[in-house]
């Protein structure tokens, strides 16, 4: 699983890991957001994630902040990568990536204060057996990725 603040590069890392390992990559945003960026209801989202995580092997990227139901996929993950990058780095990447909503920017701004503690609690509760890596910057992430080249 790849988690982190918006704009951190979760999808890019997941794609690189998928290419290096041959594992299928599941981009959760493509399964969660409906037309007009309509969020999938939490009950249904838990079911969808259960189906996606039921596969034997996968790389899932996505951090849906307050819309997420983490425990479903955390229970199945053997490795979790948390991109704990700074706000300026993520904001810069997000600006260049696409036009984003005010909700997105509130989430990115408050991620370390609000979402990160929730993620760490969920990891402790539901991913005790997973190998967890927390990366504070792209160099650390690149060193990890180089292990698969």
């Amino acid at each position: 699983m790849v988690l982190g603040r918006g704009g951190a590069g979760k999808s890019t890392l997941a794609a690189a890991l998928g290419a290096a390992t041959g594992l299928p990559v599941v981009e959760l945003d493509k399964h969660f957001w409906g037309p007009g960026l309509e969020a999938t209801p939490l009950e249904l989202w838990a079911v969808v994630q259960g189906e996606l995580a039921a596969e034997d092997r996968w790389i899932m990227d996505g951090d849906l902040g307050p819309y997420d139901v983490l425990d479903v996929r955390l229970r199945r993950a053997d490795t979790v990568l948390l991109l704990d990058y700074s706000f300026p780095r993520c904001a810069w990447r997000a600006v260049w990536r696409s036009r984003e909503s005010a909700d997105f920017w509130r989430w990115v701004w408050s991620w370390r204060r609000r979402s990160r503690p929730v993620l760490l609690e969920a990891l402790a509760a539901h991913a005790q057996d997973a190998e967890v890596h927390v990366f504070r910057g792209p160099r650390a992430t690149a060193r990890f990725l180089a292990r698969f080249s």
Side-chain angles (χ1 to χ4, degrees):
M1 276 179 62
V2 183
L3 300 167
R5 188 190 309 244
K10 296 177 298 292
S11 297
T12 302
L13 175 58
L17 281 169
T21 63
L23 293 172
V25 176
V26 178
E27 192 173 338
L28 293 176
D29 281 344
K30 291 180 180 177
H31 296 273
F32 180 77
W33 297 106
L37 290 179
E38 183 179 332
T40 299
L42 292 181
E43 308 79 41
L44 179 57
W45 182 231
V47 171
V48 170
Q49 281 188 90
E51 292 169 358
L52 294 170
E55 297 296 322
D56 288 335
R57 300 172 46 143
W58 43 260
I59 297 170
M60 282 191 201
D61 88 82
D63 185 335
L64 299 163
Y67 301 105
D68 218 343
V69 181
L70 289 163
D71 61 316
V72 174
R73 63 189 192 273
L74 281 174
R75 284 192 209 110
R76 298 269 305 139
D78 62 10
T79 306
V80 179
L81 310 178
L82 177 58
L83 303 182
D84 188 7
Y85 294 1
S86 70
F87 171 76
R89 178 177 303 282
C90 295
W92 177 255
R93 288 179 174 184
V95 164
W96 284 104
R97 179 179 67 195
S98 66
R99 191 176 169 109
E100 299 289 354
S101 70
D103 282 345
F104 172 83
W105 286 110
R106 280 189 286 277
W107 172 62
V108 170
W109 172 253
S110 66
W111 184 86
R112 190 163 282 155
R113 187 176 75 259
R114 291 187 180 165
S115 295
R116 185 178 184 271
V118 171
L119 289 174
L120 295 175
E121 286 176 23
L123 284 167
H126 304 292
Q128 300 95 340
D129 297 329
E131 185 178 327
V132 177
H133 300 270
V134 178
F135 302 118
R136 295 296 303 249
R139 282 192 207 132
T141 307
R143 282 193 299 271
F144 176 81
L145 185 57
R147 295 176 16 190
F148 298 95
S149 299

